[in-house]
Amino acid sequence: RDDAESGTRSPSAQWKLPGGLLDPGESFGDASVRETLEETGVRTRFRSLLCFWHRHGLTWGKSDLYYVARLEPEGGGEPEINLDPEEISDCRWMSVSEFLSTQDHPLITAVLRRSYGIEATEEAAAAASLAEQPTPLVELLEAGVQWPGREPYPTYFASSCDAAAAEGVSR
């Protein structure tokens, strides 16, 4: 949240995911990688889209399409965060299980529970037992579709993790 009097950003009551608007001609994957870098200084690689939602009646009577991307840090491991104070007030790395066991953001919690198949009763056990990030049940993988005489454009196809592994799809 912006504080108009001091010109600073004050922390939100809840942790959120990095995000922003797509630039003209930018894919969802490119935008999520760019926004994450701008806000956190973390270089990432796009893996997939996990979900999206569509809201109506927002500012100026407009609608909003919000996409949640699955990214991974370049180089693996826990990345070094260098937040941009013009963009965000604070930033930290959280695993899926840590977020679910400590946070109550209604939309992000619902996305994570449904995408990864983690029930609320399983959160404590998942937090204690997960050494690495879980694998989503289904995700939208990017593939290029091309019309004759045109550049390919990103298209996202649903894939179960088992199907993607069987087909040798790189993630």
Side-chain angles (χ1 to χ4, degrees), residues 90-101:
D90 200 2
C91 183
R92 66 176 284 214
W93 185 263
M94 271 189 229
S95 67
V96 169
S97 57
E98 180 183 0
F99 189 93
L100 288 173
S101 64

Side-chain angles (χ1 to χ4, degrees), residues 96-102 109 112-130 134-135 137:
V96 169
S97 57
E98 180 183 0
F99 189 93
L100 288 173
S101 64
T102 63
T109 299
L112 294 175
R113 283 186 182 147
R114 289 180 183 228
S115 295
Y116 291 98
I118 301 172
E119 296 298 324
T121 56
E122 297 171 350
E123 289 171 16
S129 67
L130 285 178
T135 301
L137 301 174

Side-chain angles (χ1 to χ4, degrees), residues 22 26-36 44-49 67 69-71 142 154 156:
L22 275 72
E26 192 172 40
S27 71
F28 297 123
D30 290 344
S32 61
V33 167
R34 178 186 50 77
E35 284 289 346
T36 300
T44 59
R45 182 176 74 86
F46 176 78
R47 300 273 308 254
S48 64
L49 292 176
Y67 290 78
R70 182 178 181 215
L71 306 177
E142 185 177 298
Y156 303 89

